[in-house]
Amino acid sequence: MRRIPTLLWLTGLMALLAAALAVAWFKISWAPTAFRSVYQVLREIWSRPYSTFGNLELTLELGATVALYIALLWLVTRVIATVLRTQVLDKTILGEGHKFAAQRVTTYLIFCLGILTGLHGLGIDMSSIAVFSGALGIGLGLGFQTIVKNFASGLILLIERPVKVGDRVQVEDLLGDITHIGSRGTWIRTNENVVMIVPNSEFIEGRVTNWTANDRNVRINVPLGVSYGSDPEHVRSVLKRVAREHPDVLDEPPSDVVFTGFGDSSLNFELRVWTAKQVTTPKIIASDLYFKVFAAFKQAGIEIPFPQRDLHLRSVSTSIPHLEG
């Protein structure tokens, strides 16, 4: 409801209210004597079949009744889904993703069963619906493949659950947290608090990295370099101490330091730490560690080098004048 513009929502509500009043009025079959002739004309327009589909006569009365039933079914479905979540699922030990999937699948099932039951209860010939479904299937096959594919992919995501609400995922260059899995697309919120809507089919057909599929523990790599005059063992002990003192770095799995090689101007290391609190802000925790490493190196007398080049002359031309100071 929050995603529908207010004006559109009010317009739809007023239209449903008008349809409800019209259905009730013509069901009562009452009108003042002075307006009897007008009432008869309106009733004839209301009940006149404007077209047929199989054995189904399409009238304004049928359209209004079906619209009201669908609106009521949608409301009842939302209420049942909310009660299911708050009174049943939230009291279980299921994870957030499992709760969301169970709620969404239940909503779809109730709505579909309600549609079939309602059509039968309204006296609509189901053979006509079968004809309509066949025609609709042809239309979907011709022009709505993408919509159907994304809807089917959304059901697969909810049932198979390769990704779920709350997971941190990467789809190509997009990295963020899943906040909503809809019937057509999945909402991903990036670190910049920007929501990107990705078609569900991309999660099924493409390559997706789920950073938190097993748990919320994520490893952050912090590369750095020290001067060639530094003791590697001393560097490792200082870096491990910095990692232990950071409040958002986990003790298990333990942090480690990797000596990655000899650079042009430095001995290159990589501090690898695990975090569960700053999964969504890896640059922030890396920045915190850089600040602390810089202070720790300064205190320990470990030099952070800057790029430099040594020039060695094997021979000097005799044509170059010798300058004496």
Side-chain angles (χ1 to χ4, degrees):
M1 194 163 119
R2 65 181 181 277
R3 300 177 206 136
I4 302 178
T6 304
L7 181 59
L8 181 60
W9 172 255
L10 291 177
T11 302
L13 185 61
M14 293 177 62
L16 288 175
L17 180 60
L21 293 175
V23 170
W25 186 34
F26 288 114
K27 288 291 184 183
I28 295 174
S29 299
W30 174 87
T33 305
F35 296 97
R36 276 291 175 180
S37 58
V38 177
Y39 174 81
Q40 293 298 331
V41 172
L42 293 177
R43 184 174 182 81
E44 194 276 334
I45 295 175
W46 179 256
S47 304
R48 178 195 306 167
Y50 291 90
S51 181
T52 58
F53 199 91
N55 296 326
L56 184 65
E57 293 183 345
L58 302 180
T59 64
L60 291 178
E61 180 181 8
L62 177 63
T65 304
V66 171
L68 289 174
Y69 178 80
I70 292 177
L72 181 62
L73 176 62
W74 176 82
L75 179 61
V76 171
T77 302
R78 292 293 297 269
V79 171
I80 293 176
T82 302
V83 172
L84 174 66
R85 178 60 187 263
T86 58
Q87 301 299 321
V88 179
L89 296 177
D90 285 346
K91 297 180 180 180
T92 66
I93 59 174
L94 295 175
E96 185 66 25
H98 289 85
K99 295 176 183 179
F100 181 84
Q103 181 186 18
R104 182 53 59 89
V105 171
T106 302
T107 301
Y108 287 157
L109 290 176
I110 293 176
F111 191 81
C112 291
L113 290 176
I115 288 292
L116 295 177
T117 303
L119 292 177
H120 180 73
L122 290 173
I124 299 176
D125 187 3
M126 298 307 292
S127 62
S128 300
I129 300 301
V131 174
F132 175 76
S133 299
L136 180 62
I138 296 175
L140 292 175
L142 294 176
F144 298 97
Q145 301 98 325
T146 302
I147 296 176
V148 174
K149 180 172 66 174
N150 287 325
F151 180 78
S153 299
L155 292 178
I156 294 175
L157 292 179
L158 292 174
I159 296 173
E160 186 178 323
R161 298 182 66 253
V163 296
K164 56 187 181 296
V165 173
D167 280 352
R168 186 165 184 81
V169 298
Q170 182 173 354
V171 183
E172 296 182 353
D173 295 332
L174 177 62
L175 177 64
D177 297 325
I178 294 180
T179 61
H180 173 74
I181 299 178
S183 58
R184 186 193 68 84
T186 297
W187 295 28
I188 299 179
R189 185 176 61 229
T190 66
N191 289 347
E192 293 77 21
N193 201 31
V194 176
V195 175
M196 304 291 290
I197 302 177
V198 180
N200 289 330
S201 58
E202 293 192 17
F203 288 89
I204 303 300
E205 299 175 351
R207 179 174 296 179
V208 179
T209 301
N210 190 336
W211 291 93
T212 56
N214 298 323
D215 50 45
R216 295 291 294 179
N217 297 345
V218 173
R219 192 178 73 184
I220 307 297
N221 299 333
V222 182
L224 48 89
V226 299
S227 65
Y228 269 89
S230 303
D231 180 7
E233 290 294 338
H234 187 204
V235 172
R236 177 162 60 180
S237 65
V238 172
L239 291 176
K240 284 190 173 183
R241 175 170 57 83
V242 169
R244 286 194 304 268
E245 293 175 353
H246 196 287
D248 292 339
V249 173
L250 298 175
D251 296 329
E252 291 293 335
S255 304
D256 63 347
V257 178
V258 178
F259 193 162
T260 58
F262 300 93
D264 292 337
S265 306
S266 63
L267 301 177
N268 296 328
F269 293 85
E270 194 171 78
L271 173 60
R272 306 191 300 185
V273 301
W274 293 84
T275 183
K277 293 183 179 180
Q278 295 203 37
V279 175
T280 60
T281 55
K283 291 185 178 180
I284 299 300
I285 188 173
S287 175
D288 290 344
L289 290 170
Y290 276 127
F291 275 113
K292 295 182 181 299
V293 166
F294 184 85
F297 278 0
K298 186 176 181 180
Q299 183 179 10
I302 299 174
E303 181 183 353
I304 300 176
F306 53 85
Q308 57 185 353
R309 293 290 184 270
D310 294 332
L311 179 62
H312 298 274
L313 300 178
R314 291 183 177 273
S315 62
V316 181
S317 173
T318 57
S319 61
I320 299 178
H322 177 66
L323 300 178
E324 295 183 356

